[in-house]
Amino acid sequence: MSATRRAAVLGSPIAHSLSPVLHRAAYAELALEGWAYDRFEVDEAALPGFLEKLGPEWAGLSLTMPLKRAVIPLLDEISPTADSVEAVNTVVLTSDGRRIGDNTDIPGMVAALRERGVRQVERASVLGAGATASSALAALSRICTGEVTAYVRSEARAEEMRGWGERLGVTVRTAAWEDAAAAFEAPLTIATTPAGTTDALAAAVPDRPGTLFDVLYEPWPTALATAWADRGGAVVGGLDLLVHQAVLQVEQMTGRSPAPLAAMRKAGEVALAAR
């Protein structure tokens, strides 16, 4: 039977995306027959043409790099959340042909922390200064009542993070990456760096750490996450973020709520274990 409703994840590279696993698990749990979720290799140059070819059966799109910013001029509307970080990871395609962009990474981070009991902190640390770091600051604007310290490798990155802080209403202090071990003194540390970047910091985890949110999910656990858990600290991982942001996408694209968080997480765990 051909799909009557379609959704997909777009990006480049896209082959290892877990989004199809998560969304298909949701469709199965919700008994959404006739729904299909695929993946397409699409770069910035190909994005306008791809969008133009979508028919009325399309319900929505998930976007990964490098499309989160490139899609914005192609949309009819974006949410305040997406606008706050100039990044869209979700496009809902309406029955009247409108394209509406949102960012579920930010509320996904908040939800993942809330699930582990972190609802509010008085200060926090962020490791890194890339696109995920700006989303982390946006999430912290909702739960952190005090200062955020960002540990970065250059003054240009430091200036960028302070700029995001001003835009998002977060007091951001910047510090050199060489001093990153001091990040662990905060009750919440969010690591937003690529695989391997924080491995050398694992030995610096204190005896009684707070909460670590490491946005990586492959390879997992990271050396830092392992050391953190060994010392009794709470760890939130990249799969937690991926599942929570996907839950919000499923709800927006299908109109069904709540999306099946447990089934989606289980599907993600099985898929990662098989790799």
Side-chain angles (χ1 to χ4, degrees):
M1 182 181 68
S2 62
T4 56
R5 298 293 281 157
R6 298 189 66 183
V9 60
L10 315 181
S12 184
I14 201 64
H16 291 285
S17 173
L18 277 181
S19 291
V21 170
L22 303 182
H23 285 252
R24 290 169 186 169
Y27 297 167
E29 191 75 10
L30 294 170
L32 291 173
E33 297 183 8
W35 278 74
Y37 189 100
D38 303 297
R39 65 166 67 89
F40 293 94
E41 182 84 14
V42 178
D43 60 16
E44 292 167 276
L47 182 59
F50 186 93
L51 293 178
E52 286 301 322
K53 293 178 182 177
L54 299 181
E57 73 277 14
W58 282 86
L61 300 168
S62 308
L63 301 178
T64 185
M65 297 304 290
L67 305 179
K68 293 184 178 184
R69 191 160 292 172
V71 76
I72 292 176
L74 308 174
L75 301 176
D76 297 296
E77 178 186 339
I78 67 169
S79 69
T81 300
D83 184 55
S84 72
V85 291
E86 298 178 354
V88 166
N89 78 326
T90 307
V91 177
V92 174
L93 304 166
T94 67
S95 58
D96 60 358
R98 288 170 56 78
R99 304 168 184 165
I100 301 176
D102 193 14
N103 186 308
T104 64
D105 287 329
I106 295 164
M109 282 187 177
V110 174
L113 286 165
R114 186 186 304 120
E115 186 183 23
R116 302 304 173 88
V118 180
R119 295 179 176 273
Q120 183 173 294
V121 291
E122 65 273 17
R123 58 193 175 94
S125 300
V126 174
L127 301 177
T132 306
S134 61
S135 291
L137 286 181
L140 289 169
S141 74
R142 304 182 180 193
I143 66 168
C144 184
T145 60
E147 185 177 75
V148 176
T149 304
Y151 292 84
V152 299
R153 292 190 182 276
S154 69
E155 178 52 36
R157 288 293 199 178
E159 185 175 347
E160 188 174 317
M161 287 296 282
R162 289 192 294 268
W164 280 116
E166 290 179 16
R167 176 172 180 146
L168 295 164
V170 180
T171 302
V172 175
R173 181 177 73 86
T174 55
W177 182 260
E178 289 73 23
D179 300 324
F184 305 152
E185 298 169 8
L188 171 62
T189 299
I190 303 180
T192 71
T193 52
T197 307
T198 61
D199 288 358
L201 296 172
V205 177
D207 289 336
R208 298 178 65 182
T211 298
L212 171 69
F213 193 159
D214 194 327
V215 303
L216 292 172
Y217 65 86
E218 194 174 24
W220 187 262
T222 62
L224 180 60
T226 296
W228 203 278
D230 288 346
R231 289 166 176 76
V235 176
V236 184
L239 183 60
D240 297 309
L241 169 58
L242 197 63
V243 171
H244 276 282
Q245 65 83 27
V247 160
L248 296 170
Q249 289 185 335
V250 168
E251 291 174 352
Q252 289 190 32
M253 293 178 192
T254 68
R256 297 283 296 275
S257 182
L261 173 68
M264 294 169 70
R265 174 179 277 126
K266 181 63 176 177
E269 291 171 345
V270 170
L272 285 175
R275 289 185 175 180

